[in-house]
Amino acid sequence: MIQIEYLSDSPKMTTDLSAGAWASVTWHDHFTVPGKVDAEPVPGTSFAMVHDGDSLYIAMKCGVCPGSSAEHFLHERVHVEIDFDGDRRWGAKFIGNADGFLSASTAHRSGSRDSWPGEVEFEVEVGAQQWTSVMKIPPVSYTHLRAHETEADL
């Protein structure tokens, strides 16, 4: 489990992740290409998560995959899945594309899915060796999910 760091000041919705609050938070890395058994970690791919008491922020740095080039960035995406309660009952899935498109949905263990009930901010910048993104998820969205849960769901 990854601890989400608290920041008393909201981080900026900027893709310059080498400065400001993003420069001092914990970054998680050593990811492999999905589907490749025993693959070496992809260098340069990492993420950080923080909250300011009002919103959840997720920043990502995605490096060029081995054997690929920066031109392929526009076809790449990141998947973020969040299990809010840690019980696999309710969750959310966010798919952020390097072209700036964001897909957001909810999922329930019963199999039901729905659009994410709120606005998620998503900023992207594509560079020569990596693309960076920052996502801001307001809590009102999560509160909305819980309000629509029925006793049968519990």
Side-chain angles (χ1 to χ4, degrees):
M1 184 178 305
I2 294 174
Q3 206 62 316
I4 301 172
E5 295 179 53
Y6 171 76
L7 298 177
S8 57
D9 293 322
S10 302
K12 293 187 184 208
M13 285 296 293
T14 177
T15 54
D16 179 3
L17 303 176
S18 63
W22 296 115
S24 62
V25 299
T26 302
W27 285 86
H28 308 277
D29 57 8
H30 290 74
F31 298 101
T32 59
V33 175
K36 293 190 177 182
V37 179
D38 299 324
E40 291 294 317
V42 176
T45 300
S46 58
F47 78 96
M49 290 193 305
V50 300
H51 74 93
D52 61 3
D54 291 324
S55 295
L56 172 66
Y57 297 81
I58 304 171
M60 294 155 277
K61 301 175 189 176
C62 303
V64 176
C65 290
S68 189
S69 66
E71 290 80 42
H72 291 102
F73 278 152
L74 294 180
H75 303 289
E76 291 189 5
R77 62 184 151 263
V78 293
H79 293 243
V80 176
E81 295 184 18
I82 301 173
D83 178 0
F84 293 102
D85 295 323
D87 63 3
R88 298 185 178 180
R89 190 170 62 213
W90 274 109
K93 184 173 187 175
F94 304 94
I95 302 173
N97 297 288
D99 65 4
F101 179 77
L102 177 73
S103 167
S105 61
T106 64
H108 187 271
R109 72 174 166 204
S110 68
S112 65
R113 295 190 177 274
D114 202 355
S115 296
W116 183 254
E119 186 174 333
V120 177
E121 292 181 49
F122 187 59
E123 298 291 328
V124 175
E125 182 178 322
V126 177
Q129 293 300 309
Q130 73 175 2
W131 65 282
T132 58
S133 63
V134 177
M135 190 181 301
K136 177 181 177 183
I137 304 167
V140 68
S141 301
Y142 176 60
T143 304
H144 175 83
L145 286 178
R146 300 301 288 171
H148 287 86
E149 187 173 48
T150 65
E151 286 188 27
D153 294 329
L154 302 173

